[in-house]
Amino acid sequence: MDLSHKMFSEIPSVIRHHGNAGNINWLMTTYSAWAHVVALVGVFKIMDCSKETLMWAFLLWPISGLGITVGAHRLWSHRSYSASFPVRVFLMLCNSIANQGSILHWARDHRVHHKHSETDADPHNAMRGFFFAHIGWLFLKKNPEVIRAGKELDFSDLHEDPVVMFQRMLDPWFALYMCFVFPAQIAVKFWGENFWPAFFVAGGLRYVYVLHCTFLVNSAAHLHGDHPYDVLSYPSENPYVSFFAIGEGWHNWHHKYPFDYATSEFGISSQYNPSKLFIDVLAAVGLVWGRKRGTAACEMGMVRRDRDREAGVPLPKPAPRPWKAHAAVKHD
């Protein structure tokens, strides 16, 4: 389960197994390999870039991240707040720079993930290990249970949003352009950067970095951290993931109260969550509204917990996590 030498050493045998079984999604595997090669070239092109291009690449981390956290996740997947048309267009553009699939595709998989978390119907079931939850799930054809679960959910709200459907109509070419070419064109036009260094660094290297920052929410935040809100839930509170994913690491709270626009109990002063701050700023100027919170439900749960404790009702205790139980048996 953990990110370990054993996990890496078993990857070749796992690849052979799925290859022989015909489970590999060759299109996604080929694309992912290409993207990582582009990112690797970007590493060697860093010294060829101006400081303006490097700053631009750095700024594209939170810019593209907002398209995932504030857009695809909190707005379109969970409908945790409402946004005006200009905000939705802006978030769609940021989401396209992030290039993690269309909003429709992303939100569909995420809703299935929440309804069937840590089961065979979960697209990135963390019970299959860190590598699978992080990126391996993209390399394989979807489990039939994932497909079945997706057919049972309602996505009509996404189909009725013209911004979502506009992006879907142009997928994947618009996202590929916004992710790789657009950042380079900005660098060329505004400070005279050469196209290819900007393409590889502000485009490819930045893209793969943000991609893995997002994937940490599926892997690390489901396997490592504290569980103060729901001890029976695998998703955890992980401040390190929150840093890389600009506020999405407070995952035990989020899976307990998925409708909460903040995806965390506290504000920016207590928990690193720039995505919440961004939504709050937009709300202050009237561009978003209807922000939902889980704090009232949490307070009711705490009252119920205290009442049960006074009545002698024991708190629920989770079974040992599979990877911890395995480690304990191995140690014995």
Side-chain angles (χ1 to χ4, degrees):
M1 281 298 174
D2 290 321
L3 186 63
S4 63
H5 171 73
K6 183 176 184 293
M7 183 197 79
F8 286 105
S9 66
E10 291 180 348
I11 289 177
S13 62
V14 171
I15 292 174
R16 285 194 298 272
H17 166 75
H18 288 293
N20 293 334
N23 294 334
I24 296 179
N25 181 338
W26 286 108
L27 178 62
M28 183 57 69
T29 300
T30 301
Y31 168 74
S32 182
W34 174 83
H36 282 77
V37 169
V38 170
L40 181 61
V41 174
V43 172
F44 294 101
K45 290 288 185 180
I46 288 175
M47 300 305 296
D48 296 335
C49 293
S50 65
K51 63 179 183 296
E52 291 86 357
T53 299
L54 296 179
M55 179 57 69
W56 173 230
F58 177 81
L59 291 175
L60 283 172
W61 170 16
I63 290 172
S64 59
L66 290 174
I68 300 299
T69 63
V70 176
H73 188 211
R74 305 186 193 193
L75 175 61
W76 281 297
S77 291
H78 293 294
R79 296 294 178 183
S80 62
Y81 68 97
S82 298
S84 61
F85 182 77
V87 169
R88 299 200 325 269
V89 170
F90 171 74
L91 291 174
M92 181 273 290
L93 294 174
C94 292
N95 180 271
S96 297
I97 297 173
N99 188 27
Q100 296 183 19
S102 69
I103 294 166
L104 180 65
H105 181 110
W106 202 103
R108 181 195 66 201
D109 278 356
H110 192 72
R111 289 181 185 181
V112 172
H113 161 66
H114 268 267
K115 186 172 179 61
H116 301 281
S117 186
E118 268 75 59
T119 70
D120 287 340
D122 184 347
H124 34 81
N125 178 11
M127 296 301 94
R128 295 181 64 176
F130 187 101
F131 182 80
F132 178 85
H134 191 76
I135 193 173
W137 65 285
L138 293 172
F139 301 155
L140 301 179
K141 297 175 183 178
K142 287 186 175 179
N143 188 304
E145 287 299 304
V146 176
I147 298 173
R148 179 194 58 77
K151 292 179 179 179
E152 295 175 351
L153 298 182
D154 180 17
F155 306 106
S156 59
D157 59 312
L158 299 173
H159 288 281
E160 292 168 0
D161 190 325
V163 176
V164 173
M165 297 315 293
F166 172 80
Q167 187 203 44
R168 177 68 182 86
M169 179 180 64
L170 299 178
D171 186 62
W173 310 114
F174 182 67
L176 289 171
Y177 164 76
M178 292 296 292
C179 177
F180 294 102
V181 179
F182 173 73
Q185 289 180 326
I186 292 294
V188 170
K189 180 174 179 59
F190 289 99
W191 52 87
E193 182 64 270
N194 292 323
F195 178 85
W196 288 112
F199 175 91
F200 285 111
V201 176
L205 180 58
R206 180 272 318 165
Y207 164 60
V208 170
Y209 172 76
V210 174
L211 199 64
H212 284 285
C213 288
T214 304
F215 289 166
L216 285 172
V217 180
N218 299 334
S219 55
H222 273 257
L223 298 173
H224 305 284
D226 299 324
H227 305 82
Y229 306 108
D230 185 356
V231 296
L232 301 180
S233 174
Y234 284 96
S236 63
E237 301 288 283
N238 191 312
Y240 302 105
V241 172
S242 278
F243 172 77
F244 289 107
I246 60 172
E248 297 287 37
W250 312 111
H251 222 46
N252 194 244
W253 174 276
H254 175 57
H255 270 256
K256 183 68 174 178
Y257 311 108
F259 57 86
D260 189 324
Y261 86 97
T263 74
S264 63
E265 179 180 6
F266 304 110
I268 189 70
S269 61
S270 301
Q271 291 177 307
Y272 183 76
N273 196 343
S275 295
K276 176 185 182 298
L277 178 63
F278 182 79
I279 297 172
D280 290 340
V281 170
L282 292 177
V285 296
L287 291 174
V288 309
W289 58 90
R291 293 168 293 166
K292 301 171 186 176
R293 287 292 271 144
T295 49
C298 180
E299 290 171 1
M300 293 175 61
M302 292 175 65
V303 170
R304 187 184 311 112
R305 183 188 64 188
D306 292 342
R307 184 176 63 243
D308 289 345
R309 183 188 295 114
E310 292 175 359
V313 178
L315 293 175
K317 292 185 178 181
R321 309 302 185 189
W323 55 93
K324 292 181 178 179
H326 175 75
V329 169
K330 185 176 180 180
H331 179 74
D332 292 341

